[in-house]
């Protein structure tokens, strides 16, 4: 599980490439969405799914937030029938991975209006895909703030109940409407 | 108001997943709808989502299939629907590895990246850079430099991150854009600061003196961004390990980070101090105290990080870890088995007979 004494002094080159993968599984361990950012780990879909199966078997009964598996540090969270995972190398700062996981979970939660379950994710799969793309770009954390991620996925503002919109969003949508009414 | 209302009816007859029984060939057939004018944004977005879903599930497309789908997708640039456009960018990124002649979308993407809509611009930059090869780089260079210093954080971050990816295409890209990255480093946005530091490091990492200068300048005014600070700690560690001679300024910086308000930075600093090859007991002691504190955290990730680091230190400085024995004993019964295991193996390295009995 831990690195041998020989590796203790080995320092990884400072780099922004932090995230090895982000996965959302359902309560049978089947993939809903998954992205892997390092071609050297799990290069094929078959290897990825084998890893996900193993990961799910090790995590679905215990909600303990963090596990080492296949040389990766995996942090996770679950809700109703969904499991969210973020993976990084075993040298990675666990708390950085945790902020990315929280951002993934909170963004999806805000997009689904706190209704975090499989059916809702599938209904808004397009937005979920966009959100994952805004959180991590090719292994680099692009944005780890859920509110900002949700703003960036251009959620149709008419979809959010007025009470949950920010003042800026309301103004923005009023501006849009005005623009279009002028253009017509 | 969602794009999948239609499927709700289908669900009543069958499975709970509207995407469950998708057939690759059927979906690709449906993609021909993309050629219709005018574009129906809702319908096309739904079909595009199906394609993205199939690719995400690991479905492989042949070169011809991918190219056909890609060209059909380019027709969707006619629509101004925000979500559809963003899905097209995703599609471009996903298919660009397999499809041929993907540079056909260069002008559309360049137009979007220089347009007015910030949400388009950032995403268009990222899509454009995935299809950019060495030959095209010169054509977009001017726009990229502008984007790096753009006042929109999304645009600036997109350009900085993309220039790191482009280092695979052209090794000196970061160096060529370093002036702009230097300007972006002054941004108030925590992510832009972080990404700019990444690009600056990439630009200078082969020149040790340039890295020393960069780090020396940055540690004087501690970065606002916790991510950038973590990166800076790593850069400082690398210099400390390479130079071997005492660089007290760098050490003092890392020690000061132990008092940072972000836990992420505090842990990074503690981890760095105990792993430095030149660290003696004196340097380690404050780091150990921090890790000891983390052992009692309600957050499993923090306990895990702390005990894993202590476990490593126990191999080189077992005596320094002895102070944490009581905290480690508490972790033996932790609900997270990895934490419990790490606590036990650490105690085996440091524990005295008295604790073994308990």
């Amino acid at each position: 599980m831990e690195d041998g004494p020989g590796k203790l002094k080995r320092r990884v080159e400072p780099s922004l490439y932090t995230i090895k993968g982000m996965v959302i599984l359902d309560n049978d361990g089947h993939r809903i969405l998954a992205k892997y950012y390092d071609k050297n780990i799990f290069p094929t879909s078959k290897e990825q799914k084998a890893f996900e199966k193993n990961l799910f078997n090790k995590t679905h009964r215990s909600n303990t937030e963090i596990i080492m598996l296949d040389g990766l540090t995996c942090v996770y969270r679950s809700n109703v029938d969904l499991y969210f995972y973020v993976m990084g190398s075993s040298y990675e700062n666990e708390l950085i991975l945790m902020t990315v996981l929280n951002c993934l979970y909170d963004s999806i939660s805000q997009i689904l209006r706190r209704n975090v379950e499989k059916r809702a994710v599938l209904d808004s799969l397009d937005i979920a895909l966009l959100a994952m793309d805004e959180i991590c770009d090719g292994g680099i954390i692009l944005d780890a703030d859920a509110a900002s991620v949700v703003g960036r996925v251009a959620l149709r503002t008419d979809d959010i109940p007025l009470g949950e919109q920010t003042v800026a969003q309301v103004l923005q949508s009023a501006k849009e409407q005005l623009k279009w009414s002028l253009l017509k | 108001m969602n794009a999948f209302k239609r499927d709700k009816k289908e669900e009543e007859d069958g499975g709970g997943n509207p995407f469950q029984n998708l057939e690759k060939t059927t979906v690709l057939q449906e993609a021909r709808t993309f050629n219709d004018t005018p574009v129906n944004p809702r319908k096309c977005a739904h079909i595009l989502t199906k394609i993205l879903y199939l690719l995400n599930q690991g479905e492989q497309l042949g070169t011809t299939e991918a190219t056909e789908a890609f060209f059909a997708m380019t027709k969707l640039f006619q629509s101004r629907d925000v979500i559809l456009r963003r899905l097209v960018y995703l599609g471009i990124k996903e298919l660009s590895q397999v499809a041929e002649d993907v540079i056909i979308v260069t002008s559309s993407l360049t137009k979007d990246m220089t347009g007015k809509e910030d949400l388009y611009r950032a995403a268009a930059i990222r899509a454009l850079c995935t299809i950019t090869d060495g030959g095209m780089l010169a054509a977009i260079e001017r726009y990229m430099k502008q984007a790096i210093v753009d006042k929109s954080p999304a645009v600036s971050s997109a350009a900085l991150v993309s220039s790191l990816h482009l280092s695979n295409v052209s090794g000196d890209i970061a160096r060529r854009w370093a002036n702009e990255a230097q300007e972006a480093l002054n941004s108030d946005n925590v992510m832009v600061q972080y990404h700019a530091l990444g690009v600056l490091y990439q630009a200078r990492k082969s020149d040790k003196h340039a890295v020393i200068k960069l780090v020396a300048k940055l540690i004087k005014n501690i970065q606002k961004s916790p991510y950038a600070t973590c990166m800076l700690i790593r850069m400082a560690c690398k210099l400390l390990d390479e130079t071997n001679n005492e660089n007290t300024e760098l050490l003092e910086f890392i020690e000061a980070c132990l008092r940072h308000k972000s836990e992420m930075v505090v842990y990074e600093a503690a981890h760095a101090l105990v792993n430095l090859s030149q660290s003696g007991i004196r340097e380690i002691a404050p780091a150990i105290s921090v890790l000891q504190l983390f052992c009692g955290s309600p957050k499993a990730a923090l306990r895990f990080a702390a005990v894993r680091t202590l476990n490593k230190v126990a191999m080189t400085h077992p005596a320094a870890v002895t102070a944490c024995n009581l905290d480690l004993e508490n972790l033996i019964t932790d609900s997270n088995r990895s934490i419990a295991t790490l606590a036990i193996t650490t105690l085996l390295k440091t524990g005295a007979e008295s604790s073994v009995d308990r």
Side-chain angles (χ1 to χ4, degrees):
Chain A
M1 170 179 282
E2 72 258 41
D3 310 310
K7 284 181 183 167
L8 183 64
K9 296 279 157 56
R10 203 175 98 193
R11 191 166 300 289
V12 248
E13 178 69 20
S15 155
L16 297 198
Y17 290 89
T18 306
I19 309 294
K20 299 286 182 198
M22 289 199 296
V23 177
I24 304 177
L25 302 179
D26 69 10
N27 56 349
D28 296 318
H30 292 139
R31 176 191 292 187
I32 292 180
L33 288 174
K35 285 294 277 180
Y36 291 86
Y37 301 103
D38 187 341
K39 290 197 175 73
N40 299 317
I41 57 156
F42 320 125
T44 68
S45 160
K46 204 178 147 204
E47 285 157 309
Q48 292 171 6
K49 294 211 166 151
F51 169 74
E52 283 161 28
K53 193 164 179 258
N54 195 4
L55 184 62
F56 181 75
N57 287 337
K58 292 231 166 29
T59 54
H60 79 286
R61 262 187 302 259
S62 58
N63 204 1
T64 46
E65 192 168 295
I66 187 161
I67 187 175
M68 293 282 291
L69 194 64
D70 291 352
L72 294 175
T73 302
C74 314
V75 292
Y76 61 100
R77 261 178 94 165
S78 64
N79 193 347
V80 195
D81 53 1
L82 286 175
Y83 291 79
F84 297 80
Y85 300 87
V86 170
M87 280 85 73
S89 92
S90 58
Y91 299 100
E92 198 40 72
N93 183 327
E94 291 85 347
L95 303 184
I96 294 183
L97 299 178
M98 210 61 205
T99 59
V100 176
L101 174 71
N102 289 337
C103 175
L104 174 67
Y105 182 90
D106 294 341
S107 316
I108 299 282
S109 165
Q110 284 177 37
I111 287 163
L112 306 178
R113 286 171 241 155
R114 322 223 184 293
N115 183 21
V116 185
E117 53 180 30
K118 181 181 171 182
R119 182 70 227 186
V121 171
L122 291 169
D123 281 347
S124 300
L125 199 70
D126 48 353
I127 311 288
L129 277 162
L130 293 176
M132 279 175 89
D133 182 58
E134 287 296 335
I135 294 169
C136 182
D137 184 304
I140 299 180
I141 306 169
L142 192 62
D143 199 344
D145 177 59
S148 151
V149 168
V150 173
R152 286 182 184 192
V153 294
L155 192 62
R156 294 183 185 90
T157 37
D158 55 336
D159 278 1
I160 317 174
L162 207 58
E164 288 182 29
Q165 291 186 28
T166 64
V167 178
Q169 278 172 327
V170 176
L171 275 178
Q172 179 65 28
S173 96
K175 237 195 290 182
E176 288 287 310
Q177 273 167 21
L178 183 69
K179 192 169 80 192
W180 285 110
S181 63
L182 289 174
L183 284 172
K184 273 174 205 159
Chain B
M1 283 310 248
N2 59 59
F4 305 110
K5 278 262 159 74
R6 278 180 306 280
D7 291 300
K8 285 212 165 134
K9 280 198 198 76
E10 287 164 30
E11 182 212 353
E12 279 151 24
D13 334 313
N17 180 347
F19 297 96
Q20 203 157 41
N21 301 312
L22 288 184
E23 277 281 338
K24 180 173 79 170
T25 40
T26 325
V27 176
L28 290 176
Q29 202 107 64
E30 286 179 341
R32 295 192 179 156
T33 319
F34 296 169
N35 292 310
D36 295 351
T37 38
V39 173
N40 177 339
R42 284 281 153 101
K43 196 171 163 196
C44 290
H46 185 54
I47 296 168
L48 197 43
T49 308
K50 285 190 200 170
I51 296 178
L52 290 169
Y53 178 80
L54 282 180
L55 292 171
N56 197 283
Q57 291 294 316
E59 188 79 59
Q60 300 280 336
L61 295 193
T63 312
T64 325
E65 287 172 323
T67 310
E68 257 175 46
F70 190 88
F71 274 75
M73 211 167 62
T74 58
K75 303 282 169 31
L76 300 177
F77 270 103
Q78 293 172 53
S79 165
R80 299 292 299 170
D81 184 85
V82 185
I83 295 202
L84 182 59
R85 179 66 60 92
R86 296 288 296 274
L87 289 172
V88 170
Y89 298 147
L90 269 191
I92 290 172
K93 286 198 275 192
E94 294 292 330
L95 290 175
S96 62
Q97 310 299 321
V98 205
E100 284 173 335
D101 302 321
V102 291
I103 54 168
I104 191 105
V105 290
T106 306
S107 66
S108 303
L109 290 174
T110 318
K111 216 173 107 198
D112 283 353
M113 114 178 222
T114 51
K116 282 202 182 69
E117 178 67 75
D118 278 353
L119 290 174
Y120 284 0
R121 290 166 69 212
I125 289 168
R126 296 196 286 130
L128 181 63
C129 289
T130 57
I131 60 160
T132 298
D133 56 25
M136 266 169 63
L137 207 52
I140 63 160
E141 178 149 8
R142 186 165 61 94
Y143 300 120
M144 286 299 287
K145 285 182 170 182
Q146 276 170 12
I148 290 175
V149 295
D150 197 276
K151 64 181 188 319
S152 154
V155 171
S156 179
S157 277
L160 287 162
V161 169
S162 296
S163 44
L164 280 174
H165 298 323
L166 283 175
S167 296
N168 297 326
V169 175
S170 164
D172 66 341
I173 210 70
R175 218 171 313 143
R176 265 155 56 192
W177 299 350
N179 284 339
E180 285 74 17
Q182 184 75 55
E183 198 178 324
L185 192 63
N186 300 325
S187 164
D188 286 335
N189 183 283
V190 292
M191 291 323 278
V192 174
Q193 231 178 50
Y194 172 58
H195 296 140
L197 182 59
V199 172
L200 282 175
Y201 180 69
Q202 172 75 24
R204 300 182 185 193
K205 68 179 179 189
S206 53
D207 176 357
K208 202 164 89 186
H209 289 285
V211 178
I212 292 174
K213 264 170 72 185
L214 176 69
V215 174
K217 207 177 104 193
L218 291 176
I219 58 174
K220 292 218 175 68
N221 40 7
I222 286 192
Q223 303 295 299
K224 221 181 91 186
S225 162
Y227 301 95
T229 312
C230 285
M231 176 77 181
L232 200 52
I233 292 173
R234 289 180 201 186
M235 288 160 63
C237 281
K238 187 154 185 274
L239 288 177
L240 280 168
D241 271 349
E242 281 171 0
T243 48
N244 281 327
N245 61 333
E246 290 263 316
N247 186 331
T248 42
E249 268 196 343
L250 290 180
L251 261 182
E252 276 167 17
F253 159 71
I254 302 175
E255 278 174 8
C257 286
L258 288 174
R259 293 182 294 278
H260 199 277
K261 62 177 187 302
S262 160
E263 269 175 353
M264 184 201 290
V265 176
V266 176
Y267 169 62
E268 185 76 43
H271 184 265
L273 285 171
V274 301
N275 278 303
L276 276 175
S277 50
Q278 52 177 310
S279 283
I281 295 288
R282 192 183 61 80
E283 286 89 359
I284 289 187
I288 299 276
S289 322
V290 164
L291 294 171
Q292 183 174 13
L293 211 64
F294 285 172
C295 282
S297 164
K299 294 180 197 155
L302 201 47
R303 296 198 302 276
F304 178 89
V307 70
R308 198 156 78 98
T309 310
L310 287 172
N311 187 42
K312 278 197 200 172
V313 196
M315 285 187 271
T316 46
H317 304 278
V321 182
T322 323
C324 306
N325 276 0
L326 263 178
D327 306 83
L328 290 168
E329 280 171 31
N330 289 334
L331 293 180
I332 292 178
T333 52
D334 200 282
S335 59
N336 184 315
R337 271 166 61 195
S338 310
I339 296 177
T341 316
L342 282 166
I344 293 167
T345 53
T346 314
L347 280 169
L348 287 175
K349 290 169 196 146
T350 64
E353 269 176 56
S354 60
S355 57
V356 174
D357 290 339
R358 276 179 271 164

